[in-house]
Amino acid sequence: MQIKRFEASDIQEALRQVKSEFGPDAVILSIKELERESKFKPLMKKVIEIVAAADNGFNNGSAKRERKTYRSNYDADSIKKTLFEYFEYMLLEGVEESVALDIAKMLKSIMPSPHLEEEGKRCILRVLQGQDMQTKRLKLKKNSNQKVAFFGPTGAGKTSTLVKLATAVSFSGRYEVGVVNLDNERIGASAQLEAFGNISGIEILNVKGKKGLKEALKGMREKDLILIDTPGIGRKTAFLAEELKIVLEEARDLEGYLVFSATTKTRDMLSLMEVYAPLRINGLIITKMDEASSVGNVLSVAYMTRLPLCYFSMGQEVPGSLKAANLWELVTRIFHRGIKEVISSLPPEELAFRRNRFEILMEEEEDLFWEQEGENETKEKGSNSALSLRI
Ligand SMILES: Nc1nc2c(ncn2[C@@H]2O[C@H](COP(=O)(O)OP(=O)(O)OP(=O)(O)O)[C@@H](O)[C@H]2O)c(=O)[nH]1
Ligand SMILES: [Mg+2]
């Protein structure tokens, strides 16, 4: 085994040197950022030092066969590196690790070029579509007396979204819309919708209980669309979901939309999904997309639940801030920063450690199903250090 120190102004260049000297099977023993005196004293310049090891042989003697192997491995390696960058970038944008890993694994087989980020985004869209991630809009039909309810935690934007949808549908002039408000236990809870009813001329009925809902729906049987607002339900008031379920038995063929704010953490959204389990959920509406600094959580929840994304709300304007959900928009929103720049700004030691971990995660599932040719050999090579890294 041969061990050598490499030094360069950035990590890419240092890794390139390691590769060209030691080949793709080199093992990184350490990566450090050092300070060196620059020409313009007293300024110090930062340099990257990599200590790497390789089995004797690569480049020593320059056997033609070895060069060939290096060249063919180079593409596979650069794809691996790119996959790692996409994975790491997705984590930084708030995508759940399990989701980012799934995407990276599927990307592996379809990624045509690791160098074009635009192409990468399209590949990710294809992966998501291939995984049955869907978008869905309301399907309106004259005289269908369609009923749609909005569920979600307090302050998520249920009433605002309902108002935006009711306005948009009513302004089209083609459909008759009515609103039923089941959220009227709290003081002042009905005021928001009553004010809207007065301005828009849309009929609003404040309703209590099963009987009340039955009467209201009867009165609105001529409407093409009935939008139903519900009280905010959280983990501590989970029992309300059971009560609501019983009340809503009156509304046959009801479609339920779960409203989440994009500023809610993935874990909190998933835990709220349990609260809403008694209710029928047909899709997700994501509000406050304008306030969220990253939307990886939106991708994660939609991916993990496979519930269709229906609408995105991007502000408070009525109805202009409500848009039909679009997967491509979600992907471009997540990949709005240059992946390479973001990744190269991370500390090299951290990056090396994370890359090692990524490669282990990528290999894990393959281990479960089959043993690849030469697999044991590879493992032995890589097992000489806990922090070993194949580049
Ligand atoms: N910035 C921004 N604010 C929003 C958006 N959607 C709703 N809001 C605001 O969020 C706040 C809460 O919205 P509501 O519609 O009252 O929420 P809710 O889910 O009905 O809340 P409860 O009835 O209390 O359960 C209001 O101030 C809305 O204007 C959005 O897409 N972007
Ligand atoms: Mg409300």
Side-chain angles (χ1 to χ4, degrees), residues 192-210:
Q192 195 180 356
L193 278 176
E194 273 164 14
F196 167 64
N198 290 336
I199 300 166
S200 64
I202 291 174
E203 188 180 359
I204 316 276
L205 290 177
N206 287 311
V207 161
K208 275 187 187 160
K210 210 170 149 100

Side-chain angles (χ1 to χ4, degrees), residues 152-162 164 183 186 189 192 229-233 259 286-291 312-316 321:
T154 326
K158 300 178 291 299
T159 310
S160 317
T161 307
L162 178 151
K164 288 170 196 170
D183 180 23
R186 290 179 298 137
Q192 195 180 356
D229 201 8
T230 68
I233 303 178
V259 183
I286 309 295
T287 61
K288 308 191 191 182
M289 293 281 280
D290 54 314
E291 283 182 2
F312 290 154
S313 172
M314 323 264 193
Q316 290 172 306
S321 56

Side-chain angles (χ1 to χ4, degrees), residues 35 57 69 287:
E35 291 207 318
T69 314
T287 61

